[in-house]
Amino acid sequence: MDRPVLGKSPARAISPGLVFSGFIAGVAVQLQQPSLWPGGWYGLLAALAGAAVVAVCGATVLKNRTLGGAGLAVFVVAVLLGFGLTGWRASTFQVTALNPALEGRDIAVTGSVLAMPQFGDDGVRFRLRLETANLNGQRVTLPPQILLGWYTGFGARDAPSGSAQDADPFESGLALQRQPQTLRAGERWEMTVRLKAPHGGSNPYGFDYELWLWEQGIQATGYVRAGLHDAPPAKLSSSWEHPVERARQSVREAIFERVENRQVAGVLAALVVGDQNAIERADWDVFRATGVAHLMSISGLHITMFAWLASLLLSSFWRRSAKLTPRLCLALPAASAGALGGLFLAALYALFSGWGVPAQRTIWMLATVVMLRQSGKQWPWLQTWLLAMAVVVALDPWALMQAGFWLSFVAVGVLFASASGEREAGHAKAESQRASGRLVPPRFWRSRLSQLMGGLGRAAREQWVVTLALTPLSLLLFNQVSLVGLLANAVAIPWVTLLVTPLAMLGVLWPPVWDGAAWSVSLLAMFLQWLANWPLASLSLAAAPLWCGAFGVLGGGLMAMRLPWHWRVLGIPLMLPVLLWQPGRSAPGQFELLAADIGQGNAVLVRTASHTLLYDTGPRFSRESDAGNRVLVPLLRALGERVDVLMLSHRDSDHTGGAAAVLAMQPQAKLLSSIEDGHELQALRKSTRCAAGQRWEWDSVTFEVLHPATADYEVKNKSNALSCVLRVSNGTRTALLVGDIESPQELRLSAGASAANVKADFLLVPHHGSKTSSSAVFLDTVQPQLALAQAGYRNRFGHPVESVLARYRERGIRVIRSPQCGAATWQSIKPGDITCQRQENKRYWQHVIDL
């Protein structure tokens, strides 16, 4: 009797899908750990689990035992294998973390530029592989590679945003910096740097910057010290150690030199060399609104299409060459030569595009499928899908936490499932025709036009299937979906894949071709802009729980399957939870504050039962990036918020930096502020001056402006002195938001009859904890239980200042700092508690600061 074969899943063999799914589940479980165990425990667990998998599978296959309980045992040990391997890798990588004692120190380093630098208006960012590091002449150990910025001035992370002065942070002190030089991959440099541990904002539904750095293998970030009193950075040598990265940089520079329109040149650079940063933010907004953002970078679609086209061309060439050398096709069939050659060329394309994580995932997935087919195994689509997923997860476990991973594999899985159903329907139809005596026309009788129309029909149906299945998933992951995406992709996919990208790639060989590519990009941009301007071009909904998204994907897939309609309509109720979900709010008479983690600045969301006020909008990080676009807009979208009032305490950019993005997203929001009439935001939304005495009530919660007085606008003052002070109270509990007021304003608020109104349970620490504020008199008057200091991690001002914190401690006031807490939530119904995002969703790759 024949022995069962592992790849064919006989009744008594262990199903490969069981092993793959168990391994993926084990990785997923390990990624939920808040902290890591000692690395040796993970290694021992992985070794034992691996040996157990081999032993159980071998005993079942070779000795022909029944599956019995072995299936569950294999699944469990596969879970332990995935858990152990991922934990061992994580603990090994964590050993290279930056020593906290070296943070903020001036360290002389020597190293080589690893990859193509990213240039921006505020400077250049690059990765440096370290060779030596010295602190005060003593050798120190740093992580193997670091991410650095060399800024034109103080820079995005060292700018005087939040200071008491009114100067623009991107114009102040530019003369104090040596300007960045042109860096190239492979160059060796000697420079002085100042480093810190990877630290990013921690917000509900926000981007996990620390996970991104972890996945990229970076354990420290910082900036080049290039002031007049610092040792000047010096290039030591240049080499071709990274020829692909140098070639990418040369091509990018050639594109921008050839194409005058920087917006169009940015799109071409993204398509050719994978430089997504070259695309301007306004263009990204259009691409997202029309659902084509995946096309404007080197994505899995580009690499898959490239592999497919290369495979067809190579197969055709191989068949033609067989006439000259027949042994060639005998040794390697044309189909195999095309598949392997297409995979090889696709890998080269992914390498030239920067070998980004999405490109890597695609190459591993393609390699898995190609090698499986070349081995002669014919696995069911589900096992093939699970194998590809397991390979990707084994190589990059943290991909499971990325939206792109799930979008890619869900799309492929749905297409696999629907294609399987289509094939079965086709076989059943053919059998029916034969049984009835009808002849099926031979394949060669079909006209080329019929083949073309059939191909277009299949492509349209695949796009429809993917759109139906991914709409609920997109809502779950991004809280937004394009309603014009089906039409936009129907045009953009063939246009970009078959016209723009080939022309852009040919331009590498002959630059004048880039003119044609630029023309085609411009036409597509006009079409997409037209679609983006449609009413309801995109739909934004509140973030739903995971189970809603899972049911929604199942519903979309069910509706896309080739099934009778009475089965398909069952998908509609499955999609309803993700479409109709509404997050909970405070009860009438109660309110809550959500202080976003936006770095050095203020941004506090005040919510009652049916109304929302946003107090300040955080800093501007650079000319192309701000807290509004990065943090507040995604947060408001995920919470399903409709902002009634946007209050900007004063004009400083660490309080108004994200206002433009928020106003664009919230056209109904009333603007209340102390900004001057000539401020640039007045052109976007006419502002009403905040003035003491203004008062309104929402859901039995009173809002009252305590400062500034109307007369204060007539006197020349620093902008801090005009900060709008807002008191929010339900008669029992009170919160006080004070902007950047300083001691004179605090004294005025604490004096006379107004002192009673200042007393509060929650206080937003004045001026981020500057020594100019939080006077003893003011704290004695307010008497808060809790105080929140919104300030950036290791900010250049030292906020909150230790002497200020001492005054809070002397009075028994608990101070929460946003770098330690992340986004902070305070509720009037629980006045003594505050919820920290970093504690609620703690993961081992996140930066930990002791509270």
Side-chain angles (χ1 to χ4, degrees):
M1 183 173 60
D2 293 336
R3 291 175 178 173
V5 181
L6 180 62
K8 294 184 179 179
S9 300
R12 295 185 177 184
I14 297 294
S15 168
L18 202 62
V19 179
F20 305 147
S21 58
F23 180 85
I24 296 167
V27 173
V29 170
Q30 196 281 329
L31 296 182
Q32 306 306 309
Q33 284 194 283
S35 58
L36 290 174
W37 303 339
W41 289 104
Y42 291 112
L44 179 61
L45 181 63
L48 293 176
V53 168
V54 173
V56 173
C57 291
T60 305
V61 173
L62 298 178
K63 297 181 181 180
N64 197 23
R65 295 179 179 175
T66 58
L67 187 61
L72 179 59
V74 167
F75 180 82
V76 171
V77 294
V79 168
L80 297 177
L81 178 63
F83 183 93
L85 283 177
T86 305
W88 176 77
R89 286 182 59 181
S91 59
T92 302
F93 179 63
Q94 197 176 61
V95 171
T96 64
L98 177 68
N99 185 344
L102 299 178
E103 288 189 279
R105 308 291 297 275
D106 289 346
I107 304 174
V109 300
T110 301
S112 57
V113 181
L114 270 177
M116 178 177 70
Q118 298 292 327
F119 295 92
D121 290 335
D122 61 335
V124 58
R125 293 171 178 81
F126 60 100
R127 298 186 189 189
L128 194 71
R129 184 180 64 194
L130 294 177
E131 299 171 5
T132 63
N134 293 280
L135 175 63
N136 299 327
Q138 299 294 319
R139 184 68 63 91
V140 294
T141 301
L142 295 178
Q145 62 172 293
I146 57 178
L147 180 64
L148 294 173
W150 187 349
Y151 300 113
T152 55
F154 284 112
R157 300 188 185 279
D158 199 30
S161 169
S163 64
Q165 56 202 21
D166 295 337
D168 188 324
F170 300 98
E171 296 177 359
S172 301
L174 294 182
L176 303 180
Q177 283 281 94
R178 294 184 178 92
Q179 298 304 294
Q181 299 184 35
T182 301
L183 303 175
R184 291 190 176 276
E187 293 180 342
R188 293 181 64 248
W189 281 79
E190 183 180 60
M191 55 183 61
T192 301
V193 301
R194 187 171 288 183
L195 301 176
K196 64 178 181 179
H199 187 92
S202 179
N203 292 285
Y205 315 106
F207 175 69
D208 193 339
Y209 179 64
E210 294 164 26
L211 173 61
W212 181 84
L213 289 174
W214 178 284
E215 195 174 17
Q216 300 296 317
I218 296 171
Q219 286 280 47
T221 65
Y223 61 94
V224 177
R225 296 285 291 172
L228 298 181
H229 300 293
D230 298 310
K235 184 172 77 171
L236 301 178
S237 63
S238 182
S239 70
W240 282 91
E241 186 178 357
H242 301 284
V244 174
E245 293 298 322
R246 293 178 70 91
R248 292 177 65 223
Q249 187 170 352
S250 298
V251 170
R252 182 181 64 182
E253 292 170 352
I255 291 173
F256 278 94
E257 183 178 350
R258 178 76 192 186
V259 180
E260 294 182 1
N261 188 318
R262 288 187 60 83
Q263 287 182 284
V264 174
V267 174
L268 293 179
L271 291 174
V272 177
V273 299
D275 185 10
Q276 297 186 37
N277 292 323
I279 299 179
E280 297 187 4
R281 191 176 76 181
D283 292 327
W284 278 122
D285 291 340
V286 172
F287 298 153
R288 293 188 184 101
T290 53
V292 301
H294 63 101
L295 293 174
M296 301 306 166
S297 59
I298 307 299
S299 65
L301 176 64
H302 290 91
I303 294 172
T304 303
M305 290 295 293
F306 184 89
W308 175 67
L309 291 173
S311 177
L312 290 179
L313 292 174
L314 288 173
S315 297
S316 177
F317 171 78
W318 203 265
R319 291 189 185 95
R320 293 179 183 276
S321 64
K323 297 179 180 179
L324 301 176
T325 55
R327 293 183 179 180
L328 201 59
C329 272
L330 292 176
L332 184 64
S336 298
L340 295 172
L343 175 63
F344 176 72
L345 293 177
L348 292 181
Y349 179 36
L351 185 65
F352 187 75
S353 70
W355 198 239
V357 173
Q360 293 179 42
R361 286 198 297 261
T362 305
I363 291 299
W364 302 137
M365 184 168 63
L366 289 174
T368 302
V369 174
V370 168
M371 294 307 175
L372 184 64
R373 294 291 174 84
Q374 295 306 306
S375 70
K377 292 182 172 60
Q378 297 295 324
W379 281 0
W381 72 265
L382 182 58
Q383 289 188 8
T384 304
W385 183 69
L386 287 172
L387 172 62
M389 185 182 292
V391 169
V392 171
V393 169
L395 294 168
D396 180 15
W398 301 278
L400 279 174
M401 304 298 293
Q402 303 294 347
F405 173 90
W406 293 105
L407 290 172
S408 298
F409 275 99
V410 169
V412 171
V414 169
L415 288 176
F416 267 149
S418 61
S420 176
E422 185 175 354
R423 285 194 299 269
E424 291 175 3
H427 294 329
K429 182 178 179 181
E431 290 298 327
S432 175
Q433 289 174 334
R434 292 189 185 98
S436 61
R438 295 164 55 193
L439 296 177
V440 181
R443 187 178 184 86
F444 60 85
W445 284 9
R446 302 175 183 172
S447 67
R448 293 189 179 274
L449 179 61
S450 176
Q451 292 179 13
L452 176 62
M453 295 303 294
L456 291 176
R458 285 192 299 273
R461 184 180 180 279
E462 288 177 358
Q463 182 61 40
W464 170 247
V465 167
V466 170
T467 299
L468 271 179
L470 294 190
T471 293
L473 186 60
S474 298
L475 286 172
L476 180 69
L477 296 172
F478 307 116
N479 314 118
Q480 184 180 28
V481 67
S482 174
L483 299 182
V484 297
L486 188 62
L487 174 59
N489 278 281
V491 175
I493 288 177
W495 189 268
V496 173
T497 305
L498 302 178
L499 180 62
V500 177
T501 301
L503 289 177
M505 297 300 293
L506 287 174
V508 176
L509 303 176
W510 192 42
V513 178
W514 280 327
D515 296 336
W519 173 81
S520 61
V521 169
S522 298
L523 284 181
L524 179 63
M526 288 190 291
F527 171 69
L528 294 176
Q529 184 66 62
W530 175 67
L531 287 180
N533 290 334
W534 283 17
L536 297 176
S538 62
L539 175 67
S540 297
L541 296 175
L546 179 61
W547 65 267
C548 291
F551 278 116
V553 172
L554 288 175
L558 188 61
M559 292 181 66
M561 296 287 286
R562 284 185 174 272
L563 296 172
W565 275 106
H566 66 273
W567 289 110
R568 291 196 199 185
V569 295
L570 295 179
I572 296 177
L574 290 175
M575 297 177 68
L576 289 180
V578 74
L579 296 173
L580 302 179
W581 178 264
Q582 291 295 324
R585 298 185 69 98
S586 299
Q590 301 293 341
F591 65 98
E592 71 172 10
L593 309 182
L594 195 165
D597 188 5
I598 40 76
Q600 183 70 19
N602 282 153
V604 181
L605 197 64
V606 185
R607 302 194 294 172
T608 67
S610 59
H611 292 278
T612 301
L613 177 143
L614 178 61
Y615 184 88
D616 283 342
T617 58
R620 181 180 59 172
F621 305 118
S622 70
R623 292 181 176 90
E624 280 292 313
S625 177
D626 56 65
N629 190 269
R630 276 196 195 178
V631 178
L632 297 178
V633 168
L635 178 62
L636 292 171
R637 182 182 297 127
L639 295 175
E641 292 295 340
R642 184 181 184 275
V643 176
D644 299 283
V645 174
L646 171 59
M647 177 177 283
L648 301 177
S649 62
H650 60 299
R651 71 180 306 276
D652 285 3
S653 64
D654 57 326
H655 296 256
T656 63
V662 173
L663 290 172
M665 180 206 183
Q666 302 282 341
Q668 78 291 332
K670 177 183 177 183
L671 182 59
L672 187 63
S673 73
S674 64
I675 61 176
E676 67 276 15
D677 292 339
H679 196 280
E680 60 185 8
L681 289 174
Q682 296 279 10
L684 301 178
R685 191 78 46 86
K686 188 63 178 175
S687 174
T688 300
R689 279 185 174 178
C690 61
Q694 291 172 333
R695 181 186 177 98
W696 67 94
E697 186 175 299
W698 288 339
D699 305 313
S700 301
V701 177
T702 302
F703 293 73
E704 183 178 3
V705 177
L706 303 182
H707 180 82
T710 304
D712 292 335
Y713 290 99
E714 308 302 324
V715 182
K716 186 175 181 180
N717 270 315
K718 292 193 301 183
S719 61
N720 288 350
L722 292 175
S723 292
C724 304
V725 176
L726 180 66
R727 178 180 184 269
V728 185
S729 179
N730 62 358
T732 304
R733 301 300 178 185
T734 301
L736 194 63
L737 310 179
V738 297
D740 281 358
I741 61 171
E742 298 179 350
S743 296
Q745 293 79 48
E746 292 178 348
L747 182 61
R748 198 167 85 182
L749 286 169
S750 303
S754 61
N757 287 336
V758 176
K759 191 176 186 307
D761 301 279
F762 175 93
L763 172 67
L764 182 65
V765 173
H767 201 178
H768 320 288
S770 168
K771 61 184 178 182
T772 64
S773 308
S774 296
S775 60
V777 173
F778 184 68
L779 295 183
D780 288 337
T781 305
V782 179
Q783 300 177 23
Q785 298 182 52
L786 290 170
L788 174 68
Q790 281 192 301
Y793 176 65
R794 298 194 64 84
N795 64 85
R796 66 187 302 267
F797 314 104
H799 293 164
V801 177
E802 179 56 35
S803 60
V804 171
L805 292 175
R807 287 200 288 270
Y808 283 89
R809 285 195 295 267
E810 290 169 2
R811 290 159 177 80
I813 303 170
R814 181 186 172 195
V815 177
I816 305 297
R817 289 180 260 185
S818 53
Q820 299 167 325
C821 181
T825 302
W826 179 86
Q827 297 175 311
S828 61
I829 198 171
K830 302 177 188 175
D833 296 332
I834 196 162
T835 302
C836 290
Q837 180 69 19
R838 283 190 178 274
Q839 304 305 315
E840 290 291 300
N841 295 278
K842 187 178 178 182
R843 295 293 183 271
Y844 59 80
W845 57 79
Q846 293 172 345
H847 186 209
V848 177
I849 309 173
D850 293 333
L851 289 172

